[in-house]
Amino acid sequence: MINFTVGPVQSSDRVRQIGGMNVPYFRTPEFSEILLENEGLIKEFTNAEQEARALFITGSGTASMEAAVMNCFTRDDKVLIVNGGSFGQRFVDICKIHEIPHEEIKVESGKNLLESQLGSFENQGFTGFLVNIHETSTGVHYNTNLIADFCKRNHCFLIVDAISSFLADEFDMKATGADVMITGSQKALACPPGISIIVLSANAVNRVQSNEVKSLYFDLKNALKDGVRGQTPFTPAVGVLLQINARLHEIKENGGATGEQEKIAYLASYFRNRIKDLPLSIYSESFSNAVTSLETHNVSALEICKVLKDEYGIWVCPNGGALGEKVFRVGHIGCLTTGDYDVLINALDDLVRRGILK
Ligand SMILES: *Cc1c(COP(=O)(O)O)cnc(C)c1O
Protein backbone atom coordinates (compact mmCIF):
# COMPACT_ATOMS: atom_id res chain seq x y z
CA MET A 1 0.00 0.00 0.00
CA ILE A 2 1.08 3.60 -0.60
CA ASN A 3 -0.42 5.92 2.00
CA PHE A 4 -1.48 9.43 0.90
CA THR A 5 -3.83 10.04 3.85
CA VAL A 6 -3.30 12.80 6.40
CA GLY A 7 -2.42 10.52 9.28
CA PRO A 8 -1.14 8.13 10.25
CA VAL A 9 1.32 8.59 7.39
CA GLN A 10 4.39 6.72 6.14
CA SER A 11 7.48 6.77 8.35
CA SER A 12 11.18 6.78 7.47
CA ASP A 13 13.29 3.63 7.84
CA ARG A 14 14.96 5.06 10.93
CA VAL A 15 11.62 5.64 12.64
CA ARG A 16 10.28 2.22 11.63
CA GLN A 17 13.36 0.42 12.96
CA ILE A 18 12.72 1.84 16.43
CA GLY A 19 9.16 0.50 16.20
CA GLY A 20 10.57 -3.01 15.94
CA MET A 21 12.57 -2.79 19.16
CA ASN A 22 11.62 -3.42 22.78
CA VAL A 23 10.36 -0.35 24.60
CA PRO A 24 12.88 0.60 27.30
CA TYR A 25 12.19 1.47 30.92
CA PHE A 26 11.85 5.23 31.11
CA ARG A 27 12.56 6.49 34.63
CA THR A 28 16.21 6.84 33.69
CA PRO A 29 18.60 9.72 32.98
CA GLU A 30 18.99 8.37 29.42
CA PHE A 31 15.27 8.73 28.67
CA SER A 32 15.13 12.14 30.40
CA GLU A 33 17.83 13.34 28.06
CA ILE A 34 15.76 12.26 25.05
CA LEU A 35 12.64 14.01 26.28
CA LEU A 36 14.59 17.22 26.96
CA GLU A 37 16.11 17.00 23.50
CA ASN A 38 12.62 16.58 22.00
CA GLU A 39 11.46 19.68 23.85
CA GLY A 40 14.42 21.70 22.62
CA LEU A 41 13.99 20.67 18.99
CA ILE A 42 10.24 21.31 18.99
CA LYS A 43 10.86 24.77 20.42
CA GLU A 44 13.50 25.38 17.77
CA PHE A 45 11.22 24.26 14.91
CA THR A 46 8.32 26.43 16.10
CA ASN A 47 10.63 29.37 16.90
CA ALA A 48 9.28 29.52 20.44
CA GLU A 49 10.82 31.95 22.92
CA GLN A 50 13.54 30.79 25.32
CA GLU A 51 11.17 30.52 28.33
CA ALA A 52 8.53 28.59 26.33
CA ARG A 53 7.83 24.95 27.19
CA ALA A 54 6.84 21.97 25.08
CA LEU A 55 4.77 19.21 26.71
CA PHE A 56 4.38 15.70 25.32
CA ILE A 57 0.93 14.35 26.07
CA THR A 58 0.13 10.68 25.62
CA GLY A 59 -3.14 10.91 23.77
CA SER A 60 -4.12 11.84 20.21
CA GLY A 61 -4.28 15.45 19.03
CA THR A 62 -7.75 15.93 20.49
CA ALA A 63 -6.37 15.22 23.98
CA SER A 64 -4.08 18.22 23.63
CA MET A 65 -6.84 20.38 22.15
CA GLU A 66 -8.96 19.63 25.21
CA ALA A 67 -6.05 20.00 27.67
CA ALA A 68 -5.11 23.37 26.18
CA VAL A 69 -8.66 24.71 26.53
CA MET A 70 -9.06 23.33 30.08
CA ASN A 71 -5.73 24.72 31.30
CA CYS A 72 -5.75 28.09 29.56
CA PHE A 73 -9.35 29.26 29.73
CA THR A 74 -11.88 29.67 32.55
CA ARG A 75 -15.53 30.64 32.81
CA ASP A 76 -14.37 34.26 33.00
CA ASP A 77 -13.03 34.12 29.46
CA LYS A 78 -14.87 34.91 26.25
CA VAL A 79 -13.42 32.90 23.41
CA LEU A 80 -13.80 33.30 19.66
CA ILE A 81 -13.62 30.07 17.63
CA VAL A 82 -13.10 29.80 13.89
CA ASN A 83 -15.43 27.02 12.77
CA GLY A 84 -14.94 26.02 9.15
CA GLY A 85 -15.21 22.26 9.45
CA SER A 86 -15.10 19.26 11.75
CA PHE A 87 -11.97 20.33 13.67
CA GLY A 88 -13.34 23.83 14.30
CA GLN A 89 -16.54 22.18 15.51
CA ARG A 90 -14.41 20.06 17.90
CA PHE A 91 -13.13 23.21 19.65
CA VAL A 92 -16.76 24.38 19.94
CA ASP A 93 -17.73 21.04 21.51
CA ILE A 94 -14.79 21.19 23.95
CA CYS A 95 -15.74 24.72 25.06
CA LYS A 96 -19.35 23.61 25.55
CA ILE A 97 -18.36 20.65 27.73
CA HIS A 98 -16.05 22.76 29.88
CA GLU A 99 -18.50 25.67 29.99
CA ILE A 100 -16.10 28.19 28.50
CA PRO A 101 -18.11 31.16 27.16
CA HIS A 102 -17.57 31.25 23.40
CA GLU A 103 -18.82 32.47 20.05
CA GLU A 104 -18.20 31.01 16.62
CA ILE A 105 -17.15 32.57 13.36
CA LYS A 106 -18.76 30.22 10.90
CA VAL A 107 -16.68 29.84 7.75
CA GLU A 108 -18.36 28.21 4.77
CA SER A 109 -16.88 24.80 3.97
CA GLY A 110 -13.83 25.11 1.70
CA LYS A 111 -13.73 28.91 2.01
CA ASN A 112 -11.08 31.10 3.59
CA LEU A 113 -11.58 33.35 6.62
CA LEU A 114 -11.83 36.95 5.43
CA GLU A 115 -10.83 40.14 7.19
CA SER A 116 -14.39 41.41 6.77
CA GLN A 117 -15.73 38.46 8.78
CA LEU A 118 -13.54 39.41 11.73
CA GLY A 119 -14.75 43.02 11.67
CA SER A 120 -17.89 42.56 13.76
CA PHE A 121 -15.90 40.78 16.49
CA GLU A 122 -13.48 43.68 17.07
CA ASN A 123 -13.63 45.32 20.53
CA GLN A 124 -16.29 42.92 21.77
CA GLY A 125 -14.39 41.90 24.89
CA PHE A 126 -13.00 38.62 23.58
CA THR A 127 -10.17 37.30 25.76
CA GLY A 128 -9.26 34.19 23.78
CA PHE A 129 -9.11 32.88 20.23
CA LEU A 130 -9.14 29.27 19.00
CA VAL A 131 -8.25 28.27 15.47
CA ASN A 132 -7.26 25.13 13.57
CA ILE A 133 -4.83 26.96 11.31
CA HIS A 134 -5.21 24.19 8.73
CA GLU A 135 -8.80 22.95 8.86
CA THR A 136 -7.79 19.48 7.69
CA SER A 137 -11.34 18.35 6.93
CA THR A 138 -11.61 20.83 4.03
CA GLY A 139 -7.92 21.52 3.30
CA VAL A 140 -8.26 25.26 3.99
CA HIS A 141 -5.25 27.01 5.52
CA TYR A 142 -6.31 30.26 7.22
CA ASN A 143 -4.27 33.44 7.06
CA THR A 144 -2.06 33.35 10.17
CA ASN A 145 -1.16 37.06 10.06
CA LEU A 146 -4.80 38.12 9.82
CA ILE A 147 -5.60 36.13 12.98
CA ALA A 148 -2.41 37.14 14.81
CA ASP A 149 -3.10 40.83 14.15
CA PHE A 150 -6.70 40.52 15.37
CA CYS A 151 -5.46 38.87 18.56
CA LYS A 152 -2.82 41.55 19.17
CA ARG A 153 -5.33 44.38 18.65
CA ASN A 154 -7.93 42.72 20.87
CA HIS A 155 -5.54 41.28 23.50
CA CYS A 156 -6.76 37.74 22.87
CA PHE A 157 -4.91 34.68 24.17
CA LEU A 158 -4.30 32.73 20.96
CA ILE A 159 -4.36 28.92 20.81
CA VAL A 160 -3.40 27.50 17.43
CA ASP A 161 -4.17 23.90 16.53
CA ALA A 162 -1.40 23.33 13.97
CA ILE A 163 -1.71 19.57 14.24
CA SER A 164 -1.68 18.94 10.50
CA SER A 165 0.14 22.16 9.57
CA PHE A 166 3.29 22.02 11.71
CA LEU A 167 6.28 21.27 9.42
CA ALA A 168 4.05 21.55 6.33
CA ASP A 169 3.35 25.30 6.43
CA GLU A 170 5.43 28.10 7.85
CA PHE A 171 4.61 28.74 11.50
CA ASP A 172 6.46 30.94 13.98
CA MET A 173 5.40 31.28 17.62
CA LYS A 174 7.30 34.52 18.18
CA ALA A 175 6.26 36.24 14.95
CA THR A 176 2.57 35.39 15.37
CA GLY A 177 2.57 36.00 19.11
CA ALA A 178 0.69 32.72 19.54
CA ASP A 179 0.43 31.62 23.16
CA VAL A 180 -0.13 27.94 22.46
CA MET A 181 0.61 25.71 19.49
CA ILE A 182 -0.60 22.11 19.31
CA THR A 183 0.63 19.33 17.06
CA GLY A 184 0.59 15.53 16.94
CA SER A 185 2.87 12.60 16.21
CA GLN A 186 0.98 11.09 13.29
CA LYS A 187 0.84 14.05 10.89
CA ALA A 188 3.96 15.68 9.38
CA LEU A 189 6.06 14.35 12.25
CA ALA A 190 5.42 11.03 10.50
CA CYS A 191 5.53 8.82 13.58
CA PRO A 192 2.85 6.43 14.85
CA PRO A 193 -0.13 8.03 16.63
CA GLY A 194 -0.15 8.30 20.42
CA ILE A 195 1.62 11.54 21.30
CA SER A 196 0.41 15.09 20.94
CA ILE A 197 2.50 18.14 21.73
CA ILE A 198 1.55 21.43 23.37
CA VAL A 199 3.97 24.34 23.06
CA LEU A 200 3.29 26.99 25.70
CA SER A 201 4.68 30.53 25.54
CA ALA A 202 5.96 32.04 28.82
CA ASN A 203 2.62 33.83 29.11
CA ALA A 204 0.77 30.52 28.62
CA VAL A 205 2.95 28.80 31.24
CA ASN A 206 1.91 31.50 33.75
CA ARG A 207 -1.73 31.04 32.89
CA VAL A 208 -1.51 27.25 33.32
CA GLN A 209 0.25 27.66 36.67
CA SER A 210 -2.51 29.88 38.04
CA ASN A 211 -5.53 27.93 36.74
CA GLU A 212 -7.42 25.32 38.75
CA VAL A 213 -8.17 22.31 36.55
CA LYS A 214 -10.70 19.64 37.46
CA SER A 215 -8.75 16.75 36.02
CA LEU A 216 -5.91 14.54 37.17
CA TYR A 217 -4.51 13.45 33.80
CA PHE A 218 -4.98 16.76 32.03
CA ASP A 219 -3.72 19.13 34.75
CA LEU A 220 -0.66 20.44 32.94
CA LYS A 221 0.96 21.81 36.12
CA ASN A 222 2.32 18.33 36.89
CA ALA A 223 3.55 17.87 33.33
CA LEU A 224 5.33 21.25 33.50
CA LYS A 225 7.00 20.35 36.78
CA ASP A 226 8.16 16.85 35.75
CA GLY A 227 9.13 18.05 32.31
CA VAL A 228 11.86 20.24 33.79
CA ARG A 229 13.84 17.07 34.47
CA GLY A 230 12.78 15.32 31.25
CA GLN A 231 10.05 13.21 32.79
CA THR A 232 6.25 12.88 32.62
CA PRO A 233 3.75 12.37 35.47
CA PHE A 234 2.43 9.11 33.99
CA THR A 235 3.82 6.43 31.69
CA PRO A 236 4.06 8.06 28.26
CA ALA A 237 4.03 6.35 24.87
CA VAL A 238 7.76 5.74 25.37
CA GLY A 239 8.34 4.10 22.00
CA VAL A 240 6.69 6.94 20.08
CA LEU A 241 8.76 9.50 22.00
CA LEU A 242 11.92 7.66 20.90
CA GLN A 243 10.65 7.66 17.32
CA ILE A 244 9.90 11.38 17.55
CA ASN A 245 13.47 11.92 18.74
CA ALA A 246 14.91 10.11 15.71
CA ARG A 247 12.59 12.00 13.40
CA LEU A 248 13.42 15.42 14.87
CA HIS A 249 17.12 14.68 14.36
CA GLU A 250 16.40 13.61 10.79
CA ILE A 251 14.60 16.91 10.16
CA LYS A 252 17.43 18.88 11.76
CA GLU A 253 19.98 17.14 9.51
CA ASN A 254 17.89 17.98 6.43
CA GLY A 255 17.54 21.72 6.88
CA GLY A 256 15.27 21.97 9.91
CA ALA A 257 11.60 22.95 9.78
CA THR A 258 12.21 25.08 6.68
CA GLY A 259 13.79 22.16 4.84
CA GLU A 260 10.81 19.95 5.69
CA GLN A 261 8.30 22.64 4.63
CA GLU A 262 10.10 23.03 1.32
CA LYS A 263 10.02 19.27 0.70
CA ILE A 264 6.30 19.05 1.47
CA ALA A 265 5.53 22.15 -0.61
CA TYR A 266 7.46 20.64 -3.51
CA LEU A 267 5.48 17.38 -3.38
CA ALA A 268 2.22 19.33 -3.14
CA SER A 269 2.98 21.43 -6.21
CA TYR A 270 4.28 18.39 -8.12
CA PHE A 271 0.93 16.67 -7.58
CA ARG A 272 -1.23 19.76 -8.18
CA ASN A 273 0.53 20.52 -11.45
CA ARG A 274 -0.08 17.06 -12.78
CA ILE A 275 -3.80 16.71 -12.09
CA LYS A 276 -4.90 19.70 -14.17
CA ASP A 277 -6.35 17.54 -16.96
CA LEU A 278 -8.26 15.19 -14.67
CA PRO A 279 -12.01 15.63 -14.08
CA LEU A 280 -11.38 16.83 -10.53
CA SER A 281 -11.30 20.32 -9.06
CA ILE A 282 -9.48 21.66 -6.05
CA TYR A 283 -12.05 22.14 -3.28
CA SER A 284 -10.38 24.58 -0.91
CA GLU A 285 -9.87 28.28 -1.50
CA SER A 286 -6.54 28.65 0.29
CA PHE A 287 -4.66 25.47 0.89
CA SER A 288 -2.09 24.01 3.21
CA ASN A 289 0.94 22.26 1.76
CA ALA A 290 -0.12 19.24 3.82
CA VAL A 291 -3.07 18.20 1.69
CA THR A 292 -4.95 18.73 -1.56
CA SER A 293 -8.70 18.32 -1.27
CA LEU A 294 -10.34 17.32 -4.52
CA GLU A 295 -13.95 17.55 -5.58
CA THR A 296 -15.43 14.93 -7.88
CA HIS A 297 -18.22 15.86 -10.29
CA ASN A 298 -19.99 12.82 -11.66
CA VAL A 299 -18.86 10.09 -9.31
CA SER A 300 -18.89 9.47 -5.57
CA ALA A 301 -15.60 10.47 -3.91
CA LEU A 302 -15.99 7.54 -1.51
CA GLU A 303 -16.15 5.19 -4.49
CA ILE A 304 -12.85 6.58 -5.84
CA CYS A 305 -11.19 6.02 -2.43
CA LYS A 306 -12.49 2.45 -2.33
CA VAL A 307 -11.38 1.53 -5.86
CA LEU A 308 -7.92 3.04 -5.29
CA LYS A 309 -7.60 1.03 -2.08
CA ASP A 310 -8.97 -2.29 -3.31
CA GLU A 311 -7.63 -2.36 -6.88
CA TYR A 312 -4.49 -0.20 -6.85
CA GLY A 313 -3.08 -0.55 -3.32
CA ILE A 314 -3.37 3.19 -2.70
CA TRP A 315 -4.87 4.94 0.31
CA VAL A 316 -6.18 8.43 -0.25
CA CYS A 317 -8.19 10.11 2.49
CA PRO A 318 -11.98 9.99 2.34
CA ASN A 319 -14.05 12.74 3.96
CA GLY A 320 -16.66 12.16 6.61
CA GLY A 321 -20.14 13.59 6.89
CA ALA A 322 -21.72 15.75 4.25
CA LEU A 323 -18.54 16.04 2.17
CA GLY A 324 -18.03 12.26 1.92
CA GLU A 325 -19.68 11.81 -1.48
CA LYS A 326 -18.01 14.76 -3.17
CA VAL A 327 -14.55 15.37 -1.65
CA PHE A 328 -11.50 13.22 -1.07
CA ARG A 329 -8.05 14.32 0.03
CA VAL A 330 -4.51 13.55 -1.05
CA GLY A 331 -1.86 14.16 1.60
CA HIS A 332 1.68 15.38 1.05
CA ILE A 333 3.09 14.62 4.50
CA GLY A 334 5.08 11.58 5.59
CA CYS A 335 7.79 9.68 3.82
CA LEU A 336 6.68 10.14 0.18
CA THR A 337 8.51 10.73 -3.10
CA THR A 338 7.56 12.12 -6.50
CA GLY A 339 7.69 8.48 -7.70
CA ASP A 340 4.81 7.69 -5.32
CA TYR A 341 2.78 10.52 -6.89
CA ASP A 342 3.54 9.12 -10.37
CA VAL A 343 1.93 5.84 -9.25
CA LEU A 344 -1.13 7.72 -7.96
CA ILE A 345 -1.47 9.82 -11.11
CA ASN A 346 -1.18 6.72 -13.31
CA ALA A 347 -3.93 5.10 -11.25
CA LEU A 348 -6.18 8.17 -11.63
CA ASP A 349 -5.49 8.22 -15.40
CA ASP A 350 -6.45 4.56 -15.51
CA LEU A 351 -9.72 5.31 -13.68
CA VAL A 352 -10.50 7.87 -16.39
CA ARG A 353 -9.76 5.30 -19.13
CA ARG A 354 -12.03 2.81 -17.39
CA GLY A 355 -14.82 5.40 -17.22
CA ILE A 356 -14.92 5.30 -13.41
CA LEU A 357 -13.54 8.80 -12.92
CA LYS A 358 -15.55 11.12 -15.13
C1 LIG B 1 -5.55 15.28 12.94
C2 LIG B 1 -6.04 16.56 13.52
C3 LIG B 1 -6.44 16.65 14.86
C4 LIG B 1 -6.31 15.53 15.85
O1 LIG B 1 -7.02 14.43 15.64
P1 LIG B 1 -6.74 13.14 16.53
O2 LIG B 1 -7.50 12.09 15.80
O3 LIG B 1 -7.28 13.43 17.88
O4 LIG B 1 -5.25 12.93 16.55
C5 LIG B 1 -6.86 17.87 15.35
N1 LIG B 1 -6.91 18.95 14.57
C6 LIG B 1 -6.53 18.91 13.28
C7 LIG B 1 -6.58 20.16 12.49
C8 LIG B 1 -6.09 17.71 12.72
O5 LIG B 1 -5.70 17.67 11.44
Side-chain angles (χ1 to χ4, degrees):
M1 296 295 293
I2 307 180
N3 183 355
F4 296 99
T5 69
V6 284
V9 299
Q10 296 184 165
S11 300
S12 66
D13 290 344
R14 204 154 132 188
V15 166
R16 286 191 298 138
Q17 266 164 18
I18 296 168
M21 297 197 291
N22 272 323
V23 174
Y25 181 62
F26 69 104
R27 300 289 188 202
T28 61
E30 290 78 12
F31 182 76
S32 294
E33 200 177 308
I34 287 191
L35 200 58
L36 289 172
E37 219 173 65
N38 285 356
E39 178 170 14
L41 287 166
I42 289 285
K43 280 172 60 179
E44 181 181 328
F45 295 162
T46 50
N47 197 28
E49 58 195 342
Q50 186 80 38
E51 313 77 39
R53 296 289 309 278
L55 299 177
F56 295 81
I57 305 299
T58 295
S60 81
T62 307
S64 282
M65 290 168 72
E66 186 161 21
V69 169
M70 289 167 73
N71 283 267
C72 296
F73 294 136
T74 70
R75 287 176 199 182
D76 296 329
D77 278 295
K78 182 179 169 191
V79 178
L80 191 53
I81 307 170
V82 181
N83 185 357
S86 55
F87 291 106
Q89 183 59 44
R90 193 165 299 177
F91 267 141
V92 173
D93 295 340
I94 290 170
C95 285
K96 265 189 206 146
I97 287 171
H98 296 285
E99 298 175 31
I100 308 295
H102 61 277
E103 282 181 37
E104 295 170 55
I105 310 179
K106 290 262 194 194
V107 178
E108 202 185 320
S109 177
K111 296 283 184 279
N112 204 355
L113 170 70
L114 304 174
E115 191 160 13
S116 56
Q117 285 166 290
L118 282 173
S120 59
F121 296 97
E122 299 269 0
N123 303 315
Q124 296 296 309
F126 285 98
T127 60
F129 198 104
L130 284 166
V131 64
N132 320 86
I133 200 70
H134 170 214
E135 173 51 74
T136 323
S137 65
T138 62
V140 174
H141 185 265
Y142 301 121
N143 182 337
T144 316
N145 292 333
L146 183 70
I147 292 166
D149 291 346
F150 176 91
C151 289
K152 280 174 199 155
R153 277 196 306 278
N154 290 275
H155 309 290
C156 287
F157 185 95
L158 172 60
I159 297 183
V160 178
D161 163 0
I163 296 182
S164 62
S165 178
F166 172 61
L167 296 173
D169 308 303
E170 202 187 325
F171 185 79
D172 186 317
M173 288 280 284
K174 270 192 258 184
T176 55
D179 292 289
V180 178
M181 191 228 58
I182 307 166
T183 191
S185 56
Q186 83 274 27
K187 302 280 168 83
L189 262 177
C191 286
I195 292 283
S196 47
I197 302 167
I198 308 178
V199 183
L200 300 164
S201 68
N203 180 35
V205 169
N206 287 338
R207 199 177 269 224
V208 170
Q209 298 288 18
S210 60
N211 251 0
E212 285 300 321
V213 173
K214 272 211 157 84
S215 168
L216 179 78
Y217 199 78
F218 287 127
D219 189 342
L220 298 180
K221 287 191 275 300
N222 298 325
L224 279 171
K225 181 165 142 281
D226 291 1
V228 171
R229 56 185 170 94
Q231 285 290 325
T232 52
F234 316 106
T235 309
V238 176
V240 181
L241 288 168
L242 296 179
Q243 290 173 302
I244 288 174
N245 187 258
R247 173 74 173 131
L248 291 172
H249 279 291
E250 214 170 62
I251 293 168
K252 175 114 176 141
E253 286 155 21
N254 292 303
T258 312
E260 189 62 23
Q261 279 153 20
E262 281 166 3
K263 186 204 133 201
I264 294 171
Y266 176 75
L267 290 176
S269 68
Y270 183 83
F271 175 70
R272 287 166 192 167
N273 284 330
R274 293 201 49 199
I275 55 166
K276 295 200 167 120
D277 297 330
L278 290 169
L280 293 166
S281 39
I282 290 187
Y283 179 68
S284 51
E285 212 170 57
S286 142
F287 30 77
S288 163
N289 292 317
V291 66
T292 303
S293 35
L294 293 166
E295 187 170 357
T296 58
H297 300 292
N298 305 300
V299 57
S300 151
L302 286 173
E303 180 62 16
I304 299 298
C305 296
K306 187 172 175 335
V307 176
L308 286 172
K309 170 171 72 70
D310 294 341
E311 296 178 35
Y312 296 86
I314 293 171
W315 275 311
V316 293
C317 210
N319 263 79
L323 289 182
E325 289 294 331
K326 66 170 192 168
V327 177
F328 71 92
R329 293 164 296 164
V330 173
H332 310 298
I333 55 181
C335 199
L336 288 164
T337 63
T338 51
D340 294 324
Y341 285 96
D342 294 339
V343 173
L344 173 60
I345 288 151
N346 286 339
L348 291 170
D349 283 340
D350 200 44
L351 290 183
V352 172
R353 263 193 300 278
R354 291 170 62 193
I356 294 172
L357 184 59
K358 50 190 187 269

